[in-house]
């Protein structure tokens, strides 16, 4: 019977396809092609699928909320593993996938080495076990992809770790961490004076087509470019209070402050039970020695007061411009998370021994920031008043402006001044706002 099976298998063609190279030559390709920086080899593309399907498969496998709080080295290892499983390296004939089960079945690709899987379990410090995402490096796998029924199946990962027979994925690449310093902190940065560091959100929150894991500073640069296009085009006559409140609102909303949560403090929160919790976590395979110095970074959202200050101090300006993008929504929610909280809120729950431990952050008050030496300027015929509180000051176009009509010189009659004032009050409402956005 064994002889018959071997004889039949030797004539099976498992899949038809071709060997190609993954490329990402444009900025869009780099942002959307998940494995472009990992797969530096020719891979096997079965005729039954296409590049878009492979890319979507990789994107879905790496899109997990818990991945955003894992150590950076863990996330890199996960990306290597997922990409090497989806993009199988083309083989020149040295493959031995089915030698595990004693069948000389030739295939045109090599499977990943077990070391790629072991690296995930090592770099992730056991946290994947806690989230139910642990990797089984001795799992069996159907490398016929459902086209044939075999009496038994080979290992998914080559247990020998011999590069002659399997893919080790040695490519070098960098990925963004969940906390980055603000690299545009010079005077030209859109959020200079407001932001010093920021939480890096999952790229899909910016654009659903983006790869879930991008290089350092990619997301920050995208956000910076978007904010710069708005803030740099604000009218120069905008008053200090409104200008500052507006920058705090938008910079605080789009460049969230990272707040640290130490793993050790989470365990200590169990009080007298923390010792027992540690024993149970150790039994689950968590590397507690390494985790004692590990920090989660979570987003801190701008406080309700930041939003209300912007609404109050820029109300007239927002009404004048009439752009929906400028209108604040201080009750806005994202899932169950308030974008402008007035108290501590839960960002994500941490599964721990049958219970869910909330990971929380406090509102970001943005109270130790500055407006980067902003100074308004006025068009000809308008001035910044020496005494802004003088009741005779006539701000144009409204109270959100720093500019007022200049004092009357004794060269026109009262009626002539009246006509000019009427024009001055209404003209800027048409002309000045045109420079905004």
């Amino acid at each position: 019977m064994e002889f018959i099976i071997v004889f039949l298998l030797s004539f099976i063609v498992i899949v038809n396809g071709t060997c190609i190279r993954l490329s990402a030559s444009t900025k869009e390709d780099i942002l959307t092609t998940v494995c472009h920086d990992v797969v530096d080899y020719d891979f096997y593309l079965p005729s039954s699928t296409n590049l878009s399907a492979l890319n979507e498969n990789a994107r879905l496998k790496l899109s997990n909320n818990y991945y955003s709080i894992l150590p950076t080295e863990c996330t890199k290892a996960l990306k290597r593993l997922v990409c090497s499983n989806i993009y199988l390296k083309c083989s020149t004939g040295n493959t031995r996938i089915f030698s595990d089960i004693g069948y000389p079945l030739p295939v045109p690709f090599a499977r990943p080495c077990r070391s790629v899987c072991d690296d995930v379990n090592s770099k992730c410090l056991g946290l994947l076990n806690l989230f139910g995402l642990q990797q089984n490096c001795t799992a069996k796998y159907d490398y016929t992809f459902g086209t044939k029924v075999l009496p038994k199946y080979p290992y998914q990962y080559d247990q020998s770790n011999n590069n002659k027979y399997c893919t080790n994925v040695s490519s070098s690449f960098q990925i963004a961490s969940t906390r980055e310093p603000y690299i545009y902190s010079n005077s030209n940065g859109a959020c200079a004076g407001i932001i010093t560091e920021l939480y890096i959100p999952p790229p899909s929150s910016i654009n659903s087509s983006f790869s879930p894991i991008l290089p350092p500073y990619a997301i920050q640069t995208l956000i910076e470019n978007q904010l710069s296009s708005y803030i740099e085009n604000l009218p120069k006559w905008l008053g200090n209070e409104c200008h500052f409140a507006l920058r705090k609102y938008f910079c605080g909303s789009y460049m969230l402050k990272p707040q640290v949560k130490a793993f050790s403090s989470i365990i200590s929160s169990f009080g007298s039970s923390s010792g027992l919790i540690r024993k149970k976590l150790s039994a689950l395979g968590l590397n507690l020695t390494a985790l004692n110095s590990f920090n989660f970074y979570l987003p801190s959202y701008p406080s309700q007061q930041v939003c209300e200050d912007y609404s109050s101090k820029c109300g007239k300006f927002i009404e004048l411009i009439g752009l929906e993008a400028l209108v604040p929504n201080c009750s806005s929610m994202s899932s169950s998370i308030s974008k402008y909280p007035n108290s501590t809120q839960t960002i994500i729950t941490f599964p721990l021994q049958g219970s869910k431990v909330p990971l929380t952050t406090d509102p970001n008050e943005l109270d130790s920031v500055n407006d980067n030496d902003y100074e308004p300027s006025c068009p000809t015929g308008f001035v910044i008043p020496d005494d802004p509180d003088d009741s005779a000051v006539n701000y144009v176009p409204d109270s959100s402006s720093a500019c007022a009509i200049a004092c009357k010189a004794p060269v026109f009659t009262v009626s002539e001044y009246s006509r000019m004032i009427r024009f001055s009050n209404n003209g800027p409402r048409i002309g000045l706002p045109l420079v905004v956005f």
Side-chain angles (χ1 to χ4, degrees):
M1 184 66 175
E2 184 77 14
F3 172 79
I4 294 174
I5 293 174
V6 172
F7 179 80
L8 291 174
L9 287 174
S10 66
F11 287 94
I12 293 175
V13 177
I14 293 180
V15 286
N16 292 314
T18 184
C19 286
I20 62 173
R21 177 69 66 126
L22 192 64
S23 64
S25 56
T26 67
K27 179 181 177 181
E28 182 179 358
D29 289 341
I30 292 172
L31 291 173
T32 59
T33 307
V34 178
C35 297
H36 76 92
D37 49 358
V38 178
V39 181
D40 59 354
Y41 51 80
D42 291 342
F43 67 92
Y44 194 74
L45 179 67
S47 57
S48 59
T49 189
N50 55 56
L51 288 175
S52 295
L54 294 186
N55 190 60
E56 180 63 11
N57 190 13
R59 190 182 69 80
L60 291 174
K61 287 184 181 298
L62 289 170
S63 297
N64 186 296
N65 287 337
Y66 286 121
Y67 288 175
S68 65
I69 63 173
L70 293 172
T72 302
E73 289 303 313
C74 166
T75 310
K76 286 178 67 175
L78 277 167
K79 185 173 181 177
R80 279 197 179 94
L81 183 71
V82 167
C83 292
S84 63
N85 274 318
I86 292 174
Y87 296 88
L88 295 168
K89 187 176 182 179
C90 284
S91 170
T92 56
N94 290 326
T95 185
R96 60 174 200 172
I97 290 176
F98 289 91
S99 64
D100 291 351
I101 55 177
Y103 303 138
L105 186 59
V107 289
F109 48 79
R111 59 188 161 176
C113 299
R114 175 173 171 168
S115 58
V116 181
C117 181
D118 287 336
D119 193 46
V120 170
N121 290 331
S122 172
K123 297 288 177 55
C124 294
L125 311 179
L127 285 171
L128 293 181
N129 301 357
L130 194 61
F131 303 141
L133 300 170
Q134 60 268 34
Q135 301 298 312
N136 182 356
C137 298
T138 59
K140 300 300 180 69
Y141 192 75
D142 179 11
Y143 276 106
T144 73
F145 307 110
T147 61
K148 306 297 174 185
V149 177
L150 300 178
K152 51 186 177 180
Y153 294 96
Y155 288 110
Q156 182 173 6
Y157 305 104
D158 192 293
Q159 305 295 296
S160 73
N161 288 323
N162 188 333
N163 291 340
K164 183 179 179 181
Y165 303 113
C166 59
T167 309
N168 192 36
V169 196
S170 58
S171 56
S172 177
F173 61 96
Q174 298 297 318
I175 66 171
S177 65
T178 51
R179 181 183 71 164
E180 287 182 352
Y182 181 52
I183 59 174
Y184 300 95
S185 57
N186 57 50
S187 59
N188 295 322
C191 296
I194 306 285
I195 303 297
T196 56
E197 60 177 6
L198 64 154
Y199 169 81
I200 301 301
S204 60
S205 66
I206 306 297
N207 188 313
S208 60
S209 68
F210 284 174
S211 165
I213 301 173
L214 288 175
Y217 307 113
I219 290 296
Q220 179 180 164
T221 299
L222 288 169
I223 298 173
E224 171 71 18
N225 290 342
Q226 187 68 34
L227 286 174
S228 291
S229 67
Y230 290 124
I231 293 176
E232 288 177 1
N233 286 301
L234 288 173
K236 303 304 180 186
W237 48 260
L238 198 60
N240 293 78
E241 283 193 346
C242 175
H243 188 271
F244 193 22
L246 183 148
R247 289 185 71 234
K248 287 202 295 183
Y249 173 79
F250 281 101
C251 291
S253 297
Y254 290 94
M255 294 190 175
L256 300 175
K257 180 180 179 180
Q259 195 166 110
V260 64
K261 290 291 177 181
F263 182 84
S264 57
S265 68
I266 296 172
I267 303 301
S268 298
S269 68
F270 285 86
S272 59
S273 301
S274 59
L276 178 61
I277 292 293
R278 287 182 177 276
K279 288 182 181 179
K280 290 182 177 181
L281 292 180
S282 182
L284 276 176
L286 273 71
N287 184 343
L288 295 183
T289 302
L291 286 171
N292 277 336
S293 58
F294 175 68
N295 294 323
F296 297 104
Y297 289 100
L298 302 171
S300 171
Y301 289 80
S303 70
Q304 181 96 125
Q305 189 62 52
V306 170
C307 185
E308 291 175 355
D309 281 350
Y310 167 59
S311 180
S312 171
K313 293 173 180 176
C314 292
K316 295 285 187 180
F317 172 69
I318 296 167
E319 182 181 355
L320 173 68
I321 301 303
L323 288 178
E324 186 177 349
L326 288 176
V327 179
N329 182 359
C330 299
S331 60
S332 179
M333 301 286 292
S334 176
S335 298
S336 59
I337 298 173
S338 171
K339 291 187 176 181
Y340 303 99
N342 53 22
S343 61
T344 299
Q345 64 176 340
T346 298
I347 302 300
I348 193 171
T349 55
F350 190 97
L352 196 58
Q353 291 300 294
S355 61
K356 292 185 176 181
V357 179
L359 298 185
T360 62
T361 60
D362 302 319
N364 180 11
E365 301 293 348
L366 287 104
D367 51 5
S368 298
V369 298
N370 65 77
D371 203 16
N372 198 30
D373 298 324
Y374 169 72
E375 292 184 5
S377 59
C378 302
T380 303
F382 301 89
V383 296
I384 297 174
D386 294 329
D387 183 3
D389 298 323
D390 191 324
S391 60
V393 171
N394 189 2
Y395 287 102
V396 177
D398 53 48
S399 59
S400 65
S401 173
C403 301
I405 299 171
C407 294
K408 303 173 185 178
V411 293
F412 298 108
T413 67
V414 172
S415 61
E416 287 173 331
Y417 265 118
S418 296
R419 287 196 298 273
M420 285 190 292
I421 289 173
R422 282 198 299 273
F423 175 77
S424 297
N425 280 337
N426 293 300
R429 295 179 185 274
I430 300 171
L432 289 179
L434 294 180
V435 303
V436 183
F437 304 101

